[in-house]
Amino acid sequence: KSRTLTPEQARREAHQRIERGTSCWLAGQCEAGGDYKHDAETNARVAAAIGRDVRFVNPSIWVETLRKFVTLKGCLADASQGQELETMVKSMDGVKLVWQEAVVTPTGAR
């Protein structure tokens, strides 16, 4: 259920979020930039790992990363290949969640 905030409520909520983030950083419990900070590095590592894995030589896969959430897109040879790919990426450091959006296509259609 979504709700609409008045401008005053939005300012108060934003202030509270900023206070929590600043307190977290000052306490040394989180880093500046949060989950977005390492997206480019994570994306590059995931793409490189897929490229090195002989199970994924033929598929056309690309990777998008946002807030440690990795989305896999492209074409797969079969559904089991998609599951193997998702399992591999989920096990990688810096990945919180994997969305599998790659589709199975016949070899000649790629």
Side-chain angles (χ1 to χ4, degrees):
K1 177 180 163 183
S2 66
R3 63 186 175 119
T4 303
L5 301 176
T6 66
E8 178 57 31
Q9 289 171 320
R11 278 191 293 280
R12 274 197 312 265
E13 197 166 296
H15 178 77
Q16 291 169 356
R17 284 194 321 269
I18 292 166
E19 275 188 336
R20 285 193 302 270
T22 302
S23 297
C24 177
W25 183 77
L26 290 171
Q29 295 176 339
C30 55
E31 61 182 318
D35 286 346
Y36 296 95
K37 186 173 184 175
H38 300 288
D39 282 350
E41 173 190 323
T42 299
N43 203 76
R45 280 189 303 101
V46 170
I50 292 169
R52 285 190 307 269
D53 195 310
V54 296
R55 296 174 295 175
F56 312 117
V57 171
N58 291 326
S60 174
I61 301 295
W62 63 94
V63 180
E64 295 175 359
T65 305
L66 182 65
R67 289 185 47 229
K68 298 183 181 182
F69 296 175
V70 175
T71 303
L72 303 169
K73 297 182 178 184
C75 302
L76 300 166
D78 58 55
S80 66
Q81 192 176 49
Q83 185 57 47
E84 291 173 0
L85 180 63
E86 185 176 342
T87 299
M88 180 189 82
V89 174
K90 278 182 180 177
S91 71
M92 296 181 71
D93 287 339
V95 175
K96 281 188 179 178
L97 179 69
V98 176
W99 284 306
Q100 173 62 275
E101 294 182 6
V103 295
V104 175
T105 58
T107 305
R110 283 185 249 153

